[in-house]
Amino acid sequence: MSLRSSLSAASRRVIAVVLHRVWEWLRAHAEISPSTPAGRRFGYLGEGACIGFPTGAIYGEPWIRIGDHTLIGVHVTLSAGFVPGLDLGPDPIVTIGKACSIGRGSHIVGHKSIEIGDDVFTGPYVYITDQNHGYTDPDTPIGRQWPVNDAVVIGSGCWLGTGAIILPGTRLGRNVVVAGGAVVRGEFPDHSVIAGVPAKVVRSYDPEAGWLPPQPEVPLDEETLAQIAELTGDRKPAQVPEPGERAS
């Protein structure tokens, strides 16, 4: 006979209430803050910063710096290095700026350098890493090939949508919007919107013209441009800019 079947309904209700209250107490009091023993293991955990409970995997804390008033959601993995206990040298590996918000279930996995600016917000389940396995040797399983590191920089004010993946070598400018589910690698300018797999600029900002219209997935052909020119009264067809170019 199982324990559950041997308990009366009233007993199970009492146990459930006690367990739920204990869990709520843990959620309220077990978060990591600068004053807790776990918080003091970090290279820096700023004033007002906290990491929600339950946490994800956290190791390499001496090489992780988190700015003032940054909030790390529950189940977030923060790691520096392959495994706990490695000496990674004098410099920080993962740096998160001030007043950031990292969504639940996200992973920030650093081996060389991940720099996240101030006021960066992410949705849940965002993955950021500066390392991938190589695949140059066709005879060796990819998981056994030596990994390749490339630093990641995420500028201040960026927003990363749910499920976005930031790959090694990515450099985002200031106030960049990353669409949910985008797979990002490469350099992207300030004040741009990027989306897709692989991600590319779909909208950009011009200081004089403001936000430019969304860029088409496929450039318009000459016949379509001529029809647009006829309908709008233009004598010369407008030239649609290629993705990443400024509109004239």
Side-chain angles (χ1 to χ4, degrees), residues 3 9 16 21-22 79 90 103 114 144 168 203 236:
L3 176 63
R21 289 183 177 177
V22 168
S79 67
I114 296 176
R144 297 185 183 280
R203 199 168 188 193
K236 183 173 71 173

Side-chain angles (χ1 to χ4, degrees), residues 16 129 165 171 205 215:
T129 186
I165 299 174
R171 288 163 177 80
Y205 180 81
Q215 297 172 355

Side-chain angles (χ1 to χ4, degrees), residues 28-66:
H29 296 86
E31 64 184 20
I32 298 174
S33 66
S35 62
T36 61
R40 291 192 287 270
R41 290 201 291 264
F42 282 81
Y44 180 77
L45 186 60
E47 177 185 358
C50 71
I51 301 172
F53 177 87
T55 65
I58 298 178
Y59 57 86
E61 294 96 321
W63 293 273
I64 300 174
R65 297 179 61 86
I66 300 173

Side-chain angles (χ1 to χ4, degrees), residues 19-173:
L19 290 175
H20 291 165
R21 289 183 177 177
V22 168
W23 182 251
E24 290 301 319
W25 187 91
L26 287 171
R27 291 182 59 187
H29 296 86
E31 64 184 20
I32 298 174
S33 66
S35 62
T36 61
R40 291 192 287 270
R41 290 201 291 264
F42 282 81
Y44 180 77
L45 186 60
E47 177 185 358
C50 71
I51 301 172
F53 177 87
T55 65
I58 298 178
Y59 57 86
E61 294 96 321
W63 293 273
I64 300 174
R65 297 179 61 86
I66 300 173
D68 298 347
H69 306 293
T70 284
L71 305 179
I72 308 293
V74 300
H75 301 295
V76 170
T77 290
L78 298 170
S79 67
F82 281 105
V83 293
L86 296 178
D87 184 350
L88 303 177
D91 300 322
I93 301 295
V94 174
T95 301
I96 304 173
K98 300 177 181 178
C100 295
S101 179
I102 307 300
R104 65 176 292 132
S106 294
H107 289 62
I108 302 176
V109 181
H111 298 85
K112 179 179 181 179
S113 176
I114 296 176
E115 296 183 14
I116 299 174
D118 300 333
D119 300 297
V120 172
F121 285 67
T122 85
Y125 307 110
V126 168
Y127 185 81
I128 303 170
T129 186
D130 61 359
Q131 183 181 90
N132 265 343
H133 281 280
Y135 53 86
T136 54
D137 183 353
D139 298 321
T140 301
I142 292 172
R144 297 185 183 280
Q145 296 193 40
W146 194 254
V148 178
N149 299 332
D150 200 349
V152 169
V153 177
I154 297 174
S156 294
C158 288
W159 160 255
L160 281 58
T162 300
I165 299 174
I166 310 299
L167 295 175
T170 296
R171 288 163 177 80
L172 303 182

